[in-house]
Amino acid sequence: MSSHRLSRKRRYVTWGAAGVAVVAGAGIAAQTSMAATTWPAQKTFTGRAFDTCAAPSLSAMKAWHTGFYGAAAVYIGGKNRGCAQANLTASWVKSVSTLGWKLIPLYVGAQPPCQTGSSPEKISAATAASLGASDAADAVAKASALGMKAGSPVYLDMESYDITNKACNDAVLTYVRAFDKALRAKTYRSGYYGFTSSSAKAIANATDKTDLPGNMWYALWDKTNTTTSDWPFGASQWTNHSRGHQYMVNSKETIGGVTITVDRDAWDGPVAITG
């Protein structure tokens, strides 16, 4: 299991966990309902990406820039972020972007109240809306400080939880909607990382589609580098460069003489605007 993403917690999802169909238009409707503002053109990347707990050094990113990976996810903030980010600065973002890397901003916000394990920040029914808005404001501030401009996506990391617990699930959805609405108010695009068997499924099955994420990064550890052939939701969902797929975890890899343990991602979606 992958344990590097979330502080003091391990994931409780088995390899190859399956999801269910998303109600048509969930992601697209949310993305096209953004406030009537002049939005910067979306910057997208299609290819192989990786995510790892701490942003690698600039020298490591230079060594890894061989063409196998073209994008890297970075943990820009959140009280539940699991690793210190000594390398993740505005200077680093500028330098790796100049090398040609595309960056995927990930924010580890508050986690579900019924989730297994402890977290520095958890959602409650009473705080879900206000916490979602304040976490989004923090995510925008963190992204902006790193040189990730308006129009960039921020992917909210929601780890596995019991979505059959209605009170818990309702609190999560309230939090996600508040987070996404506040992001869009600042002209940042909404994204979501979740599991096809739980946290992504909750978004998929939500009756109210208002302010749901416009981009879906789904965890399905089937070792298949694709965002289409194993897409577990409806074919019309999250189309037009709105998908990411985490398909392998804890892969220890050496490129250019530098070894890093990463999760592999197939990517066809928005990335940070840094230029």
Side-chain angles (χ1 to χ4, degrees):
M1 286 188 176
S2 174
S3 59
H4 70 241
R5 179 182 303 274
L6 198 64
S7 61
R8 302 175 186 86
K9 280 209 288 283
R10 296 184 65 85
R11 297 178 186 175
Y12 296 92
V13 178
T14 58
W15 287 80
V20 298
V22 176
V23 177
I28 296 171
Q31 197 64 47
T32 55
S33 68
M34 295 183 298
T37 306
T38 302
W39 279 72
Q42 180 168 272
K43 183 176 183 180
T44 61
F45 169 75
T46 301
R48 191 180 280 107
F50 74 86
D51 59 278
T52 190
C53 193
S57 67
L58 179 57
S59 62
M61 294 296 282
K62 287 179 178 177
W64 271 48
H65 193 240
T66 64
F68 184 77
Y69 291 109
V74 289
Y75 293 82
I76 64 170
K79 291 183 180 178
N80 288 310
R81 183 172 65 174
C83 286
Q85 301 291 337
N87 297 315
L88 188 55
T89 63
S91 175
W92 183 93
V93 167
K94 183 177 180 179
S95 295
V96 299
S97 297
T98 299
L99 286 173
W101 285 102
K102 307 300 186 291
L103 298 176
I104 301 164
L106 188 60
Y107 188 87
V108 192
Q111 295 298 301
C114 60
Q115 191 178 71
T116 303
S118 60
S119 299
E121 182 180 67
K122 278 199 172 186
I123 303 163
S124 72
T127 64
S130 60
L131 195 56
S134 61
D135 277 357
D138 182 57
V140 168
K142 295 290 197 303
S144 179
L146 289 169
M148 298 174 178
K149 300 178 181 180
S152 298
V154 174
Y155 293 85
L156 176 63
D157 183 325
M158 192 65 65
E159 295 290 318
S160 181
Y161 68 99
D162 179 9
I163 64 174
T164 67
N165 182 325
K166 186 178 184 301
C168 182
N169 197 53
D170 287 349
V172 170
L173 291 175
T174 297
Y175 172 83
V176 171
R177 290 191 180 100
F179 187 93
D180 290 355
K181 185 176 180 179
L183 276 185
R184 294 186 190 117
K186 296 295 185 180
T187 328
Y188 280 75
R189 290 179 162 86
S190 64
Y192 187 84
Y193 168 93
F195 291 85
T196 57
S197 59
S198 59
S199 44
K201 182 178 178 180
I203 298 298
N205 288 349
T207 302
D208 180 3
K209 304 303 179 187
T210 305
D211 292 323
L212 292 181
N215 301 282
M216 177 58 74
W217 180 3
Y218 63 105
L220 180 61
W221 301 336
D222 59 3
K223 303 183 181 180
T224 305
N225 177 30
T226 182
T227 60
T228 55
S229 67
D230 68 351
W231 175 245
F233 309 138
S236 63
Q237 259 74 47
W238 289 287
T239 56
N240 193 27
H241 306 294
S242 296
R243 301 175 182 176
H245 172 206
Q246 186 184 68
Y247 66 91
M248 182 185 296
V249 293
N250 291 337
S251 177
K252 187 174 183 180
E253 303 177 14
T254 301
I255 301 175
V258 176
T259 301
I260 309 174
T261 298
V262 301
D263 296 343
R264 287 190 178 188
D265 303 282
W267 204 260
D268 184 26
V271 292
I273 300 171
T274 59

